[in-house]
Amino acid sequence: MVEEEKSKENSHSIMKTYIQLSLCVICCLLFAELAAQDTTKIIFHAPENPERAKAPFSEAVQAGNLFFLAGQIGMDRTVGKLAEGGIQGETEQTIKNIEGVLQYHGLTLDNVVKCTVILSDINDFKAFNEVYVKHFTKKPARTTYAAAGLAAGAKIEIDVIAVK
Amino acid sequence: MVEEEKSKENSHSIMKTYIQLSLCVICCLLFAELAAQDTTKIIFHAPENPERAKAPFSEAVQAGNLFFLAGQIGMDRTVGKLAEGGIQGETEQTIKNIEGVLQYHGLTLDNVVKCTVILSDINDFKAFNEVYVKHFTKKPARTTYAAAGLAAGAKIEIDVIAVK
Amino acid sequence: MVEEEKSKENSHSIMKTYIQLSLCVICCLLFAELAAQDTTKIIFHAPENPERAKAPFSEAVQAGNLFFLAGQIGMDRTVGKLAEGGIQGETEQTIKNIEGVLQYHGLTLDNVVKCTVILSDINDFKAFNEVYVKHFTKKPARTTYAAAGLAAGAKIEIDVIAVK
């Protein structure tokens, strides 16, 4: 091979390398754009118990890694009544219900980032809190207040946002 | 070309390929980092109706693909009064107002992942729900309770989070 | 070099280029997948003031770029009492408390995308709003109502979601 030919081949090879790298960069940009996502996948999850599919809301709606749960009250689903034991009994049952929904989606109370606690009586605060702290040990952000009325005569309703 | 030269050229070519691939991987990592985003773009959307720009809140604030909407009551904006027809009339108007804001941002009620429904009277639950189920057919997660008071004497306020 | 050899080498080189580009595309897809994230990092932030670590909730929980803050009341932490000056004094203090938490995480009120304002009396709406508009100038989405009761006899509680 003569020197001239070799030099021509080298410059050709350098150009080829540049083209390849440019293509790579373009691919990367396209996929980065893809990853940034123009839309987030929303899943209105069906409930674990098909009987509850009549409810006018989903127990959990997933948007990407965020899970929005329907507010739960202390309804004991095995008997269809609010749990006994006053505010503490209802708080236990409410948290149990939340745990059930989370578990069905591979989550635990440790995935909860925000709790909104709605009491029917602000004087139940201390009693409710005694039960609460035993379960929400990761300490989600929390807002607590008393409403003028809750569904089904409940003493407490807890609404959570979880993140996987 | 002698054998020695050829072997040297081959090893050179393999090295070049490795360098190219390494560069690609570095590019990919950089763009993946970029896509993971250090900050999320926040847009405090101006309202469709410029007259409503005086309000102390945005009708919709967008953070990435999440849309946080201001709570809506059943105010009929064409007349500047709460809709007639009691709880059901106000519920229809409230949902219509939410739909209007969503539509302005290219969304529908099907993009709503979470509804917080605040009634002025928990006894309105059944009547409100009859109207609600006709519109929120995808079944967002929902929390409903009665407050001690709503702005403008409204019977219902609905606050939604939507995702595009 | 004979023509035949050259052509063979060229086709070899084209094949090599294809393999390289395919590898790049595979890398890109893998990293895009990585960037789309199977899980979001959750941080239950410890409070700035270690004394407040006893609280049953975190002042701020971070999930990716989203910050969920615990509801704040107008507690003046320097004296351990609700701020004086009625609804306006408490509103000032509440917003100051929120600002403190945000600041600790490198954020300001301008990062707030959603405010839920809970009053103890809906008649305080106008007075609270006069203070509010001076601070939340970016206009987060907002929902305001009166509860039947707030913790510690507060006149106002504000719960915010911020985005970095």
Side-chain angles (χ1 to χ4, degrees), chain A residues 91-151:
Chain A
T91 303
E92 284 283 6
Q93 185 64 50
T94 298
I95 296 172
K96 206 170 161 182
N97 292 348
I98 291 168
E99 257 184 318
V101 176
L102 291 172
Q103 205 168 359
Y104 185 54
H105 299 290
L107 307 171
T108 72
L109 294 178
D110 290 356
N111 291 91
V112 173
V113 294
K114 177 70 199 289
C115 278
T116 302
V117 180
I118 314 167
L119 302 169
S120 66
D121 183 351
I122 198 69
N123 296 313
D124 285 340
F125 189 94
K126 197 166 163 267
F128 125 78
N129 197 44
E130 281 171 15
V131 175
Y132 179 94
V133 295
K134 289 191 283 175
H135 297 281
F136 286 99
T137 51
K138 286 276 186 183
K139 299 188 178 181
R142 191 177 84 180
T143 296
T144 308
Y145 57 89
L150 289 177

Side-chain angles (χ1 to χ4, degrees), chain C residues 98-119:
Chain C
I98 291 168
E99 255 183 319
V101 176
L102 291 171
Q103 205 168 0
Y104 185 53
H105 299 291
L107 306 171
T108 72
L109 293 179
D110 291 354
N111 291 91
V112 173
V113 293
K114 176 70 199 287
C115 277
T116 303
V117 180
I118 314 167
L119 302 169

Side-chain angles (χ1 to χ4, degrees), chain B residues 77-138:
Chain B
R77 292 167 189 174
T78 57
V79 294
K81 288 196 300 186
L82 284 172
E84 299 195 352
I87 180 64
Q88 295 205 329
E90 287 192 31
T91 303
E92 284 282 7
Q93 186 64 51
T94 299
I95 296 172
K96 206 170 160 183
N97 292 347
I98 292 169
E99 257 183 318
V101 176
L102 291 172
Q103 204 168 1
Y104 185 53
H105 299 291
L107 306 172
T108 72
L109 293 178
D110 291 355
N111 292 91
V112 174
V113 293
K114 176 70 199 288
C115 277
T116 303
V117 180
I118 314 167
L119 301 170
S120 66
D121 182 352
I122 198 67
N123 297 314
D124 285 341
F125 189 93
K126 196 167 163 268
F128 125 77
N129 197 44
E130 282 170 14
V131 175
Y132 179 93
V133 295
K134 287 191 284 174
H135 297 280
F136 286 100
T137 51
K138 285 276 186 185

Side-chain angles (χ1 to χ4, degrees), chain C:
Chain C
M1 207 187 280
V2 294
E3 277 308 298
E4 204 187 330
E5 250 185 344
K6 201 151 191 171
S7 145
K8 202 172 144 194
E9 206 169 74
N10 264 348
S11 92
H12 183 75
S13 153
I14 287 169
M15 221 180 77
K16 218 169 62 188
T17 305
Y18 272 115
I19 292 170
Q20 282 167 23
L21 281 175
S22 303
L23 278 167
C24 283
V25 168
I26 290 164
C27 283
C28 284
L29 282 167
L30 282 171
F31 288 120
E33 195 68 2
L34 240 163
Q37 291 185 315
D38 198 39
T39 58
T40 297
K41 197 179 173 186
I42 306 173
I43 309 171
F44 296 86
H45 286 292
E48 187 175 12
N49 183 342
E51 272 177 46
R52 294 182 57 79
K54 304 174 276 195
F57 50 81
S58 302
E59 288 182 339
V61 179
Q62 185 179 353
N65 290 345
L66 281 171
F67 286 76
F68 296 92
L69 267 69
Q72 289 282 350
I73 58 173
M75 187 64 73
D76 182 344
R77 291 166 188 175
T78 58
V79 295
K81 287 197 300 184
L82 284 172
E84 296 194 353
I87 179 65
Q88 294 205 332
E90 288 192 30
T91 303
E92 285 283 6
Q93 186 64 50
T94 299
I95 296 172
K96 206 170 160 182
N97 292 348
I98 291 168
E99 255 183 319
V101 176
L102 291 171
Q103 205 168 0
Y104 185 53
H105 299 291
L107 306 171
T108 72
L109 293 179
D110 291 354
N111 291 91
V112 173
V113 293
K114 176 70 199 287
C115 277
T116 303
V117 180
I118 314 167
L119 302 169
S120 66
D121 183 350
I122 198 67
N123 296 314
D124 285 341
F125 189 94
K126 197 167 163 267
F128 125 77
N129 197 44
E130 281 171 15
V131 176
Y132 179 94
V133 296
K134 287 191 284 176
H135 298 281
F136 286 100
T137 51
K138 285 276 184 184
K139 299 189 176 180
R142 190 177 84 179
T143 296
T144 309
Y145 56 90
L150 289 176
K155 289 186 183 306
I156 185 167
E157 174 156 9
I158 304 181
D159 164 339
V160 309
I161 299 172
V163 174
K164 78 160 185 177

Side-chain angles (χ1 to χ4, degrees), chain B residues 4-77:
Chain B
E4 205 187 328
E5 248 186 343
K6 200 149 193 171
S7 145
K8 202 173 145 193
E9 205 168 76
N10 264 346
S11 91
H12 182 75
S13 152
I14 288 169
M15 221 182 76
K16 217 170 61 188
T17 303
Y18 272 116
I19 293 170
Q20 282 167 24
L21 281 174
S22 304
L23 278 167
C24 283
V25 168
I26 290 164
C27 282
C28 284
L29 282 168
L30 282 171
F31 287 120
E33 196 69 3
L34 240 164
Q37 292 186 313
D38 198 39
T39 58
T40 297
K41 196 178 175 188
I42 306 174
I43 309 170
F44 296 86
H45 286 292
E48 186 176 11
N49 183 341
E51 272 177 47
R52 294 181 58 79
K54 306 173 274 198
F57 50 81
S58 302
E59 288 182 339
V61 179
Q62 185 179 354
N65 290 345
L66 282 171
F67 286 76
F68 296 91
L69 266 68
Q72 288 283 349
I73 56 173
M75 187 64 73
D76 182 344
R77 292 167 189 174

Side-chain angles (χ1 to χ4, degrees), chain A:
Chain A
M1 208 187 281
V2 293
E3 278 309 298
E4 203 187 329
E5 248 186 347
K6 201 148 192 174
S7 145
K8 202 173 145 195
E9 206 170 75
N10 265 347
S11 92
H12 182 75
S13 153
I14 287 169
M15 220 182 77
K16 216 169 63 186
T17 303
Y18 272 116
I19 291 170
Q20 282 167 24
L21 281 175
S22 304
L23 278 167
C24 282
V25 169
I26 290 164
C27 282
C28 284
L29 282 167
L30 282 171
F31 288 119
E33 194 68 4
L34 239 164
Q37 292 184 313
D38 198 39
T39 58
T40 296
K41 196 179 173 186
I42 306 173
I43 309 171
F44 296 86
H45 286 292
E48 187 176 12
N49 183 342
E51 272 177 46
R52 293 182 59 78
K54 305 172 276 196
F57 49 81
S58 302
E59 288 182 339
V61 179
Q62 185 179 353
N65 290 345
L66 282 171
F67 287 75
F68 296 93
L69 266 68
Q72 288 282 349
I73 56 173
M75 186 65 72
D76 182 343
R77 291 167 190 175
T78 57
V79 295
K81 288 197 300 185
L82 285 172
E84 297 194 352
I87 179 65
Q88 294 205 331
E90 288 191 29
T91 303
E92 284 283 6
Q93 185 64 50
T94 298
I95 296 172
K96 206 170 161 182
N97 292 348
I98 291 168
E99 257 184 318
V101 176
L102 291 172
Q103 205 168 359
Y104 185 54
H105 299 290
L107 307 171
T108 72
L109 294 178
D110 290 356
N111 291 91
V112 173
V113 294
K114 177 70 199 289
C115 278
T116 302
V117 180
I118 314 167
L119 302 169
S120 66
D121 183 351
I122 198 69
N123 296 313
D124 285 340
F125 189 94
K126 197 166 163 267
F128 125 78
N129 197 44
E130 281 171 15
V131 175
Y132 179 94
V133 295
K134 289 191 283 175
H135 297 281
F136 286 99
T137 51
K138 286 276 186 183
K139 299 188 178 181
R142 191 177 84 180
T143 296
T144 308
Y145 57 89
L150 289 177
K155 289 185 182 309
I156 185 166
E157 175 155 10
I158 304 182
D159 163 340
V160 309
I161 299 172
V163 174
K164 77 158 186 179

